[in-house]
Amino acid sequence: MWTTGAEQVEQAVAECVGVLGEVAGRDWTGVRAGRLEWSCRETAVHIAEDLIAYAGQLAGRERDGYSPFELSLEEGSDNAGALRVIASMGALLAAAVRTAPREVRAFHPYPFRSANREGFAAMGVAEVLLHTHDIAEGLGITYEPDPALCGFVLTRIFPHVQPGPTPWRTLLWATGRGELPGRTPVTEWRWSNNLVLDSERLTLQGVTPAAATDLSTVGDGGFAWLDGGPAEGTRVGAGLVYKQYEDGVHRPEWGMYVLVRREDGRALGAMGFHGVPDEAGRVEVGYDLVEAARGHGYATEALRALSSWALARPEALVVVANVEPGNLPSQHVLARAGFTRVAEDPEHLTYELGVSGDR
């Protein structure tokens, strides 16, 4: 069953407060938190700061920057008090995630300057898991979160990280806190929220590995579909996205996008790339719509937006589409989007759209 992440925020915070509550009577101020430069006390306050910051961004619908406020504990608050604040701030983030409409996005810099409710939930869970680990390491106590929480984080904001032997070990490696056999140690890292592209009537919303897994079976991927969708082509494409993720070759901005209609938030279909551009700068695109959305120009509009985005990237020189000779509607979409037919064989017609002029 699809989740927006509120329950995961609550679980992560409960585990954090439970583990650290056992050692709240110890000195946290004079002890460094794992590999961080902060003390355990400073790190605990940072967890609370992140939780309320994400809640504020999402609840306030902040679009252009961070909401200008800071959190501080009352003078004289002990470690147990800090944990109470973490619990309260976690409850506020969970509430913000639960009440935010599906289409709301708010500012966060990494890497495309916005995140949706699931993204903020995943970032909040990541902060709790990782910094609880840092504090526990500093204090010399054992902490290992529920693997499902780690999987929730990895499949939403670490789409570029190949799954490893266990979700927790993979998350620690991906954030420079551990090692994995056969992988180079990580020294710099950032998570990645999904990319969203805008057109006149649509938003093209990047599909995370979590959504791809759900869409590839019988789920809705967290979207409200028109006409009982998604179509079979979307489910097949989602399966390919998840296979790329498992193989460690998924690059989210060169993956799949669900087409969502602005006027009612309904998902109409999907469009995306078969992979990253090749050495010659060629990248292939594919798409489909639910039947009720066809004939209204949505595919043409989305293809123009996605192709324009791709050809503005230095690694892409040509967008390619292959269609069956009998698929006249798809051929008309390509022609209206500016593509030119360049080749044909008994099974496919090949269309291309290239970079115009110098970049």
Side-chain angles (χ1 to χ4, degrees):
M1 184 176 179
W2 190 257
T3 176
T4 59
E7 295 87 353
Q8 283 74 18
V9 171
E10 291 168 336
Q11 181 184 348
V13 168
E15 290 186 5
C16 163
V17 171
V19 168
L20 298 183
E22 296 293 324
V23 290
R26 291 173 54 180
D27 174 23
W28 290 11
T29 302
V31 179
R32 181 171 166 177
R35 307 181 188 190
L36 304 183
E37 295 298 325
W38 299 328
S39 70
C40 292
R41 171 72 174 206
E42 290 170 325
T43 305
V45 174
H46 177 75
I47 294 173
E49 290 173 335
D50 283 333
L51 292 169
I52 190 57
Y54 295 155
Q57 291 300 103
L58 192 56
R61 314 292 195 261
E62 295 284 348
R63 296 290 298 179
D64 301 320
Y66 287 117
S67 183
F69 70 90
E70 293 182 356
L71 175 144
S72 62
L73 272 62
E74 278 190 351
E75 187 175 351
S77 297
D78 58 10
N79 296 333
L83 293 176
R84 287 170 53 201
V85 175
I86 289 173
S88 297
M89 300 306 100
L92 291 175
L93 176 56
V97 171
R98 280 199 175 91
T99 56
R102 183 190 308 268
E103 298 307 306
V104 166
R105 296 187 74 85
F107 173 81
H108 191 278
Y110 302 152
F112 303 117
R113 300 187 66 78
S114 73
N116 61 10
R117 59 189 182 182
E118 293 162 29
F120 279 107
M123 290 188 290
V125 172
E127 295 284 0
V128 174
L129 301 186
L130 295 170
H131 290 316
T132 302
H133 163 79
D134 297 331
I135 296 170
E137 188 174 58
L139 296 173
I141 62 174
T142 300
Y143 167 71
E144 183 165 339
D146 184 341
L149 290 176
C150 307
F152 174 83
V153 170
L154 289 167
T155 57
R156 283 161 175 82
I157 58 172
F158 287 90
H160 51 292
V161 172
Q162 183 179 19
T166 66
W168 181 226
R169 289 182 62 194
T170 303
L171 182 58
L172 290 176
W173 170 81
T175 57
R177 291 170 167 83
E179 298 181 355
L180 284 182
R183 299 198 194 184
T184 302
V186 172
T187 56
E188 295 183 358
W189 63 274
R190 283 183 177 175
W191 53 52
S192 178
N193 282 290
N194 65 326
L195 174 62
V196 172
L197 305 174
D198 293 324
S199 67
E200 181 180 356
R201 296 175 295 169
L202 305 170
T203 58
L204 285 66
Q205 301 185 15
V207 171
T208 64
T213 304
D214 198 53
L215 285 169
S216 68
T217 53
V218 296
D220 58 19
F223 297 93
W225 289 87
L226 181 70
D227 195 34
E232 183 60 24
T234 296
R235 296 204 185 280
V236 172
L240 295 175
V241 168
Y242 192 76
K243 180 64 165 56
Q244 291 177 339
Y245 169 68
E246 284 190 316
D247 292 342
V249 297
H250 178 53
R251 297 298 174 264
E253 62 268 39
W254 296 104
M256 172 186 281
Y257 297 78
V258 167
L259 315 182
V260 178
R261 190 162 57 189
R262 290 178 182 276
E263 67 180 45
D264 58 5
R266 292 287 179 174
L268 309 177
M271 181 175 292
F273 303 105
H274 292 192
V276 299
D278 64 19
E279 293 180 355
R282 296 168 62 85
V283 62
E284 186 174 351
V285 68
Y287 50 88
D288 77 345
L289 296 180
V290 300
E291 189 170 348
R294 297 170 187 170
H296 300 281
Y298 293 124
T300 300
E301 180 180 327
L303 185 57
R304 286 172 176 160
L306 192 60
S307 299
S308 176
W309 175 85
L311 294 175
R313 300 288 294 264
E315 61 265 46
L317 299 176
V318 180
V319 180
V320 180
N322 291 300
V323 298
E324 296 176 353
N327 189 346
L328 295 180
S330 189
Q331 293 172 44
H332 293 156
V333 166
L334 290 163
R336 288 193 296 268
F339 283 67
T340 302
R341 194 166 85 184
V342 296
E344 62 180 277
D345 61 36
E347 295 185 354
H348 294 102
L349 306 178
T350 300
Y351 287 74
E352 292 184 355
L353 178 66
V355 174
S356 57
D358 296 331
R359 291 200 288 205

